[in-house]
Amino acid sequence: MPIVIPSGLPAFDILQEEGVSVVSTDTYTKQPSRSVSVAILNLMPIKVRTETQFARVIGATPLHVELTLVRMTNHQAKNTDASHLDSFYIRFEEARARKFDAFIITGAPVEHLNFEEVTYWNELTQIMDWTQTNVHMTMAICWG
């Protein structure tokens, strides 16, 4: 089964060239089937590479997967073009109104900081609390 992602997302063409089954969000919304909804809160600095890596793994499943890319509400990413974020990501304040089957929180290169020194730590803890009642399964990578 394909992974459902926006056709303009760089990962779409990359995965399609690799033979991963992908369907554009526009095409999918016209099909009467149920998918697994997976959100990724991508905190990595090189977002395009990270979203492609996750889409590759998720797209290899036999399920229809609708992927939603999420970003922090107020944190400004330094290494990813704002137009990319505006085109393909929703802010957490918008995501919080939805429910997801799975929610992945990527790691972030903040190993030199105490968690409390991370500028978005308060929002991140709110997101982790929110996942307890709005998400079936949460995976926090490198936040152990």
Side-chain angles (χ1 to χ4, degrees), residues 30-76:
K30 298 172 187 167
Q31 298 175 352
S33 63
R34 166 73 168 105
S35 64
V36 176
S37 61
V38 176
I40 299 176
L41 176 62
N42 188 355
L43 301 174
M44 292 299 288
I46 311 299
K47 297 194 184 321
V48 172
R49 181 173 40 195
T50 302
E51 66 205 23
T52 301
Q53 291 169 338
F54 275 102
R56 181 179 294 115
V57 172
I58 293 167
T61 69
L63 305 170
H64 269 111
V65 178
E66 183 180 1
L67 186 63
T68 301
L69 298 171
V70 180
R71 62 179 167 157
M72 303 304 275
T73 299
N74 296 313
H75 179 72
Q76 297 297 319

Side-chain angles (χ1 to χ4, degrees), residues 44-48 77-85 89:
M44 292 299 288
I46 311 299
K47 297 194 184 321
V48 172
K78 297 175 186 162
N79 299 303
T80 302
D81 192 65
S83 66
H84 180 80
L85 296 173
Y89 284 70

